[in-house]
Amino acid sequence: MINNIPKHIAIIMDGNGRWAQAKGKKRTSGHKVGVERAREAVETAVELGVESLTLFAFSSENWNRPKEEVSYLMELFIIALNREVKTLNKHNVKLKFLGDTFAFNQKLQDSIKKAESLTAENSQLRLNIAANYGGRWDIVNAVNGLLADSNHVDKINEDLLASKLSTADLPDLDLLIRTGGETRISNFLIWQAAYAELYFCDTLWPDFDSKELQKAVDEFTRRQRRFGLTGEQVKEPS
Ligand code: IPE
Ligand code: IPE
Ligand code: MG
């Protein structure tokens, strides 16, 4: 069976620091170029007709980086968000942040709120930015949500838990891409990736252009997703 275009793509945008260092520049300059590639990925996703794109921008663990790098990233998020939100809105993109955004400074929280509410009714593409996101946080947060609003429920099931995850209203994750050569999940969408197709490439994020994304999608369309069945069971009837 040939897969169609993935409905939901998630990307671990990795390799900014190494990209910059290889050019003798500061790691932060890699993050700056990384924002441009994120914009390009959004444009490509819209062109391809993808329903949902989730970008990993900052992990729960990234707080432990040098203070200057963390502050640079916070500033970059504010600048990029404020600069891009109008264009995203014009292109009918609905923006949502996944993660514990309350930990961010007030200025960034305000920009996030403004961007989410401005684009709330849009329907062309769901653009989800995972920021201060961790897969374990997501699951614990979902369990706490269940505990808080259902004191009569003494048993949970997969659907109930999934309904409390940050991705609850998004299509199932089809394709998870990681750039930058590492073959690990780094606490990204650990629940949601259960049956996603994984795609790892060596290209560092600042070099991951539209063609690279198209290549990943092309590979996805050629893979056979079996979901536990045999190859014969999932083959299209001839
Ligand atoms: C990913 O690039 C961006 C963030 C984690 C914010 P890195 O900054 O991890 O780049 P490398 O992996 O050190 O090259
Ligand atoms: C994952 O990349 C987080 C983001 C891309 C935002 P990292 O560079 O933080 O992951 P590790 O440390 O190599 O696992
Ligand atoms: Mg990295």
Side-chain angles (χ1 to χ4, degrees):
M1 188 175 79
I2 306 291
N3 294 311
N4 296 318
I5 294 292
K7 280 199 174 104
H8 187 171
I9 301 177
I11 309 180
I12 303 175
M13 309 183 288
D14 194 27
N16 293 350
R18 281 166 285 158
W19 181 88
Q21 282 164 331
K23 291 183 153 33
K25 293 182 186 165
K26 283 205 236 163
R27 292 177 52 82
T28 47
S29 73
H31 296 315
K32 198 167 168 207
V33 178
V35 171
E36 302 310 315
R37 293 293 83 74
R39 189 211 278 139
E40 191 170 338
V42 173
E43 285 167 5
T44 309
V46 170
E47 279 163 23
L48 290 172
V50 170
E51 284 179 32
S52 178
L53 175 68
T54 302
L55 301 177
F56 202 6
F58 192 83
S59 76
S60 319
E61 291 77 26
N62 287 148
W63 291 111
N64 299 320
R65 291 194 176 192
K67 229 170 66 197
E68 308 75 56
E69 184 168 342
V70 173
S71 321
Y72 182 90
L73 284 167
M74 294 304 133
E75 272 307 305
L76 187 64
F77 292 153
I78 295 170
I79 292 167
L81 194 53
N82 293 347
R83 195 185 56 204
E84 300 298 333
V85 67
K86 276 203 196 100
T87 315
L88 291 171
N89 192 38
K90 216 167 68 199
H91 287 96
N92 200 11
V93 174
K94 178 175 175 162
L95 200 62
K96 185 185 170 182
F97 278 76
L98 313 181
D100 188 5
T101 52
F102 293 110
F104 291 133
N105 64 46
Q106 198 54 51
K107 212 164 138 199
L108 180 50
Q109 283 190 51
D110 291 346
S111 295
I112 289 172
K113 246 190 249 152
K114 237 167 102 183
E116 284 183 337
S117 62
L118 181 72
T119 61
E121 303 304 324
N122 293 344
S123 57
Q124 170 66 43
L125 171 75
R126 301 287 309 259
L127 173 60
N128 316 295
I129 308 292
N132 195 19
Y133 178 88
R136 290 179 178 174
W137 166 85
D138 205 359
I139 293 168
V140 169
N141 193 50
V143 171
N144 281 328
L146 288 169
L147 289 173
D149 67 20
S150 56
N151 35 27
H152 56 281
V153 173
D154 58 321
K155 225 178 182 173
I156 62 170
N157 58 41
E158 292 184 11
D159 286 345
L160 207 52
L161 184 67
S163 76
K164 290 288 182 189
L165 292 169
S166 58
T167 48
D169 58 340
L170 300 173
D172 280 344
L173 183 59
D174 294 313
L175 173 61
L176 173 58
I177 297 171
R178 182 175 189 139
T179 66
E182 311 293 358
T183 44
R184 54 178 171 257
I185 303 284
S186 300
N187 195 19
F188 194 28
L189 300 161
I190 51 178
W191 171 284
Q192 296 85 343
Y195 257 111
E197 292 299 318
L198 308 182
Y199 180 91
F200 297 101
C201 67
D202 289 335
T203 310
L204 303 169
W205 178 249
D207 288 329
F208 193 86
D209 59 10
S210 172
K211 273 197 197 123
E212 293 269 352
L213 181 53
Q214 180 71 59
K215 207 164 102 186
V217 170
D218 286 347
E219 177 165 329
F220 172 87
T221 62
R222 288 194 297 269
R223 293 206 192 156
Q224 185 188 52
R225 302 180 83 187
R226 290 193 283 278
F227 299 100
L229 304 180
T230 67
E232 286 65 37
Q233 281 178 300
V234 294
K235 257 187 205 139
E236 271 170 336
S238 51

